[in-house]
């Protein structure tokens, strides 16, 4: 299986644009379903923050996944894409009242609650509406993840979730409220995690917490382990499908699941990253004193990950097979951070060549901005261009 980049079909499309190889997306979803179908209590909620393109969402919905939302806008978008509200989990440290109201009006599956003040507000709004909100508490498990500091979330110092020592207190508070129903615990330790040991550490921590709660007569129906499985940014063509086998096996082996309990996963990046590429045109090749620049028409407004996280995406030239030279691939925005990569080898590159910036399906199109009044990039699927 290879990521297809059919350059002949890109002619006439305004660059930069996102291209989604739906074969890769479907194979990825099949790989997920193959693993989760081994367990009748595993449910994957796609983290729509990674990519909310409607065409991509339709394919994910067809594969039967649920959804993880972090805003009212995401809830609206996934409902538009035809997802059932009964499969939506809603997380986020700072839910606004209108977002809570929307979740209640639509009868979403579960609110992942991150603080006592939020719990009180959900209870109050639900009471006003004569509803009972299903809730899980997001617990900060103080488990570090071997990933970028900006995307690790499970340490005590992070703003996310409720501290483990407060767990019983918040559960008792919820149990005394009339308009919330406490169902379980939610966790998330970070993103782009490739070390299975990090997920093993989380599973062990959940076991400890669960034992502690059971000793006090508190049962959990839902365990939500969050997302975070990483992908191969260095060699996407060699590994277009993430290692779901090992990922789900970690939880099957290490998480002690009780009878009738359901286990929920919130995978984002691993679902959509490899199917997407940002296609950009080389506007100029500039020879400077110590560098050669390929100046492309995409900027950090189209793909911010390299500028924001120092993230690395493989770049390929779709038009040239000439012998390789060294380039810095940079965008047109007047900021030095508008650089996709430095000193990389590309076949000799010319004005008009199309470059593909790979592994850009997750946190690419969705994080685009209009800085410099630049138009937002469009996204096309391979099926549309057939
Ligand atoms: N669940 C929660 C509560 C989350 O905060 C996140 C991601 C996910 C699930 C999905 O994580 P994933 O499976 O995609 O790793 N913009 C950054 C990534 C931010 C991730 C934020 N939270 C990037 O481009 O790398």
């Amino acid at each position: 299986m290879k990521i297809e980049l059919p350059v002949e079909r890109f002619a006439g499309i305004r660059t930069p644009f996102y291209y989604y190889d739906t074969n890769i997306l479907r194979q990825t979803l099949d790989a997920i379903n193959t693993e989760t179908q081994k367990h009748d209590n595993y449910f994957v909620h796609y983290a729509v923050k990674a990519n909310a393109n409607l065409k991509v969402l339709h394919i994910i919905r067809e594969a039967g996944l649920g959804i993880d939302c972090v805003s009212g806008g995401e809830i609206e978008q996934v409902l538009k894409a035809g997802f059932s509200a009964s499969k939506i989990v809603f997380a986020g440290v700072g839910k606004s009242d209108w977002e809570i109201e929307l979740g209640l009006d639509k009868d979403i599956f579960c609110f992942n609650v991150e603080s006592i003040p939020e719990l009180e507000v959900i209870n109050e709004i639900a009471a006003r509406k004569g509803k009972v909100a299903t809730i899980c508490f997001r617990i900060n498990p103080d488990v570090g993840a071997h990933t970028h500091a900006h995307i690790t979330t499970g340490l005590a110092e992070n703003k996310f979730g409720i501290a483990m020592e407060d767990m019983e207190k918040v559960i008792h508070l919820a149990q005394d409220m009339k308009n919330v129903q406490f169902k379980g615990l939610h966790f998330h330790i970070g993103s782009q995690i490739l070390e299975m040991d990090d997920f093993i550490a989380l599973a062990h921590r959940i076991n400890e917490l669960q034992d502690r709660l059971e000793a006090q007569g508190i049962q959990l129906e839902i365990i939500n382990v969050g997302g975070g499985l990483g992908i191969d940014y260095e060699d996407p063509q060699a590994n277009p499908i993430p290692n779901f086998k090992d990922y789900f096996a970690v939880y099957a082996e290490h998480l002690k699941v009780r009878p009738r309990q359901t286990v929920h996963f919130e995978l984002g990046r691993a679902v959509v990253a490899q199917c997407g590429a940002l296609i950009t045109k080389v506007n100029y090749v500039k020879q400077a004193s110590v560098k050669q620049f390929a100046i492309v028409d995409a900027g950090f407004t189209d793909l911010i990950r390299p500028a924001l996280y120092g993230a690395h995406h493989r770049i390929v030239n779709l038009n040239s097979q000439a012998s390789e030279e060294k380039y810095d691939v940079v965008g047109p925005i007047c900021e030095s951070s508008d650089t996709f990569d430095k000193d990389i080898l590309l076949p000799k590159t010319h004005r008009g060549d199309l470059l593909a910036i790979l592994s850009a399906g997750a946190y690419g199109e969705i994080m685009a901005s209009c800085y410099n009044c630049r138009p937002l990039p469009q996204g096309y699927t391979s099926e549309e261009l057939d």
Side-chain angles (χ1 to χ4, degrees), residues 47 49-50 68 70 91 138 151 153 186-188 190-192 226-229 233 266-270 305 309 362-363 367:
K49 63 170 75 68
D68 162 34
V70 289
R138 177 169 181 178
I151 49 179
T153 50
H186 171 236
F187 305 86
H188 177 73
S191 199
Q192 183 53 18
L229 176 64
Y233 281 101
E266 300 174 340
L267 295 174
R269 186 189 317 268
R305 302 193 69 258
Y309 312 115
Y363 307 109
M367 291 182 80

Side-chain angles (χ1 to χ4, degrees), residues 55-187:
K55 292 164 263 187
V56 168
L57 287 181
H58 281 138
I59 295 173
I60 296 173
R61 192 204 65 216
E62 279 164 17
L65 272 63
I67 282 283
D68 162 34
C69 290
V70 289
S71 73
E74 286 189 352
I75 294 176
E76 282 163 351
Q77 179 77 349
V78 301
L79 292 175
K80 196 157 122 197
F83 283 87
S84 157
S86 65
K87 288 184 167 186
I88 297 176
V89 295
F90 182 17
V93 284
K95 298 177 191 76
S96 294
D97 290 14
W98 74 269
E99 297 177 308
I100 295 170
E101 284 171 13
L102 179 65
L104 288 167
D105 289 343
K106 300 294 177 189
D107 293 319
I108 61 166
F109 173 64
C110 186
F111 289 82
N112 291 327
V113 177
E114 306 218 9
S115 67
I116 294 175
E118 183 194 335
L119 174 71
E120 287 166 346
V121 170
I122 293 177
N123 185 53
E124 205 179 289
I125 297 178
R128 214 191 302 138
K129 288 183 177 289
K131 298 224 172 196
V132 176
T134 300
I135 61 151
C136 282
F137 284 114
R138 177 169 181 178
I139 303 296
N140 186 330
D142 200 16
V143 170
H146 296 89
T147 185
H148 193 285
H150 288 189
I151 49 179
T152 176
T153 50
L155 286 174
E157 67 197 54
N158 296 127
K159 70 177 173 182
F160 301 99
I162 290 165
M164 286 180 287
E165 58 267 29
D166 295 333
M167 182 175 66
E168 285 86 351
K169 184 170 95 190
V170 293
I171 293 174
H172 288 134
L173 266 173
Q175 285 172 335
D176 288 341
M177 290 180 175
K178 288 206 175 63
N179 296 86
V180 296
Q181 190 176 23
F182 167 73
K183 287 273 176 99
L185 300 181
H186 171 236
F187 305 86

